[in-house]
Amino acid sequence: MTALDDRPRTAEEPAPPSRPDLHARTTELLRLRQAVRGGPGAGATEAQRTRGKLTVHERLDLLFDDGTFVEIEGFRRHRASGFGLEDRRPHTDGVVTGWGRVHGRTVFAYAHDFRIFGGSLGESHAEKIHKIMDMAEAAGAPLVSLNDGAGARIQEGVSALAGYGGIFRRNVRASGVIPQISVMLGPCAGGATYSPALTDFVFMVRGISQMFITGPDVVEAVTGEKVSQEQLGGADLHAAVSGAASFAYDDEESCLEDVRHLLSLLPANNRELPPAVAPEDGLDGLDESLLDVVPADPHQPYDMREVIARLVDDSEFLEVHERWAPNLLCALARIDGRTVGLVANQPQHLAGVLDIEASHKGASFIQICDAFNIPLVTLVDVPGFLPGTQQEHSGIIRHGAKLLYAYCNATVPRIQVILRKAYGGAYIVMDSRSIGCDLSFAWPTNEIAVMGAEGAVNVIHRRAMAAAEDPEATRRVLTEEYRDALMHPYYAAERGLVDDVIDPRATRPVLAEALRVLRTKQEQLVPRKHGNPPM
């Protein structure tokens, strides 16, 4: 049978219109791609710049190696109707998803486009995010979210809320499996804040990013308190007060550069080791400067960061939660080319005591390191837990147990270095031999005891001092006797609770060798569904 279009035609009958060939279709495709990348128009882009923010593709270009980003579902449109939505169906539906390379390694990402529906989440928008999250988990590669959205799309009702539920469920499922990094580059309110809270690291930029459950208007209506968005949930607030932000920056460029740096320190997933990078400085020789950084007097403060800088490759480390709970330092760095997690008391702040916030900070960091095969090095100079009714009534027992649980549960190589004092329960909690650290080293300035000599004498010899003719002279003599008997540098080593008392100048090569030996450590926990950590 002859097709209708192939039948003979008379001279007067016009020929059917010709179909576009592949050249024309390809030209149309390229034009459409360019239009999609350009967004809803110059006005929307200018409004984004007026807010001091980059466009979605400018951000992705900063995150990924040049020319490596591959976008998927760029032509996706929502299918919702009502409230005028049927007349507004822009491509991407307000979120760009895909993957690329960071320092040559695959990373998945999704990025809100505030120019489209204010970056709000609707059904199609959420489905795009769900897909890229599933792909990241299946591929075993990190996931980065660039958040700049106004929350759930009100016009789509419960469908938008269900979309967030799907994101939260995937955040939890991927937790400890692949690194998840949230970068806050705009507003984040209500339930939308829980996805960043479920991820491993949160980056914020001053002036443009905020996170809060209820906005300033609601706060004022309910409590009468007037507060700005920055005061309620800005970068500085979350970096220094709430602890919700791991890092805070002045601009997007430096923020995204550190996201790239963080990714270079992490493995792709929980089945791999972090990438190794040969250090530019060598491990040979002794570092004489370490003898001057740490004062022998246990009451004299110093900056633990100066010690860390001398122990890690090229003096470079990335401090996590730098401004929150500053009495405990947590940092990622490399020793002999391989990533380590450092946990250290900071004598410059509260003498380095452990308190509620420090315990929470340390526990979270240790869990991340353990999940992603990053060995732990703990630098100890701790006078104890912070005393007082405020700490006790706010639950220091429960929160301090978080730090203890995290250490006891960690199966990665664990090395303890005691620089000076290590008193009481805080000594135990800071990864002592008794809770499972693999190797414990101490400097010759170490003092390990139930409490300081002065406090111990006050308890033990209270009656003797009260009866003495010169109580202060008696106190000094008894204090020295106690220190000589129970707090000399080799007391713990004699009892096998410290593996070696080392030359402080040799700390870096000692750590490098210990980490090398422990690199193949294998430890299995007792079979169980999961533990029951203090919450």
Side-chain angles (χ1 to χ4, degrees), residues 276-481:
V277 177
E280 294 183 8
D281 58 345
L283 291 169
D284 299 333
L286 303 178
D287 188 344
E288 299 289 340
S289 66
L290 280 171
L291 298 180
D292 300 317
V293 171
V294 181
D297 181 354
H299 303 292
Q300 188 174 341
Y302 62 94
D303 190 351
M304 184 65 82
R305 293 187 184 92
E306 294 186 23
V307 177
I308 293 175
R310 287 163 172 80
L311 300 183
V312 302
D313 294 354
D314 308 317
S315 299
E316 292 183 354
F317 58 94
L318 182 63
E319 188 173 345
V320 182
H321 289 297
E322 178 179 356
R323 297 171 57 202
W324 182 57
N327 41 314
L328 188 75
L329 301 182
C330 297
L332 292 170
R334 288 189 174 93
I335 296 178
D336 196 21
R338 297 184 180 273
T339 302
V340 296
L342 294 129
V343 181
N345 305 110
Q346 172 57 296
Q348 271 196 339
H349 294 275
L350 296 176
V353 299
L354 295 178
D355 60 4
I356 288 174
E357 291 186 345
S359 299
H360 184 98
K361 172 181 175 177
S364 175
F365 181 74
I366 290 164
Q367 289 181 157
I368 291 172
C369 289
D370 187 50
F372 295 115
N373 309 311
I374 298 172
L376 289 162
V377 174
T378 303
L379 306 177
V380 183
D381 190 347
V382 61
F385 281 90
L386 182 65
T389 56
Q390 189 275 330
Q391 288 286 304
E392 296 291 350
H393 294 175
S394 298
I396 184 60
I397 296 173
R398 175 168 46 89
H399 291 283
K402 293 178 183 178
L403 183 58
L404 179 60
Y405 188 100
Y407 268 126
C408 291
N409 200 50
T411 61
V412 292
R414 292 156 50 190
I415 301 173
Q416 179 195 50
V417 182
I418 302 170
L419 278 60
R420 291 196 311 190
K421 56 190 176 297
Y423 297 158
Y427 153 69
I428 302 172
V429 171
M430 289 297 289
D431 207 17
S432 63
R433 279 286 302 275
S434 59
I435 66 168
C437 84
D438 299 291
L439 288 168
S440 175
F441 301 110
W443 284 10
T445 45
N446 80 82
E447 292 184 355
I448 306 173
V450 175
M451 62 178 67
E454 295 83 358
V457 167
N458 288 339
V459 174
I460 298 172
H461 300 291
R462 180 176 63 253
R463 292 180 180 176
M465 287 188 295
E469 293 183 6
D470 188 345
E472 285 305 314
T474 303
R475 183 196 307 275
R476 286 194 296 269
V477 171
L478 294 174
T479 297
E480 286 306 313
E481 288 179 356

Side-chain angles (χ1 to χ4, degrees), residues 204 206-212 214-216 219-220 225-242:
M204 295 188 73
R206 297 179 181 91
I208 66 170
S209 57
Q210 302 90 31
M211 290 193 296
F212 36 71
T214 53
V219 169
E220 184 178 359
E225 181 183 7
K226 292 186 177 181
V227 63
S228 69
Q229 288 193 348
E230 279 294 305
Q231 293 169 330
L232 183 62
D236 286 324
L237 180 284
H238 286 306
V241 180
S242 77

Side-chain angles (χ1 to χ4, degrees), residues 78-83 85 93 117 120-126 150-166 191:
H78 72 76
R79 296 168 293 183
S81 60
F83 306 99
L85 285 179
D93 199 38
F117 296 126
S120 62
L121 182 139
E123 183 180 23
S124 295
H125 181 121
R153 194 173 300 168
I154 298 173
Q155 299 95 319
E156 295 197 33
V158 71
S159 297
L161 298 178
Y164 272 122

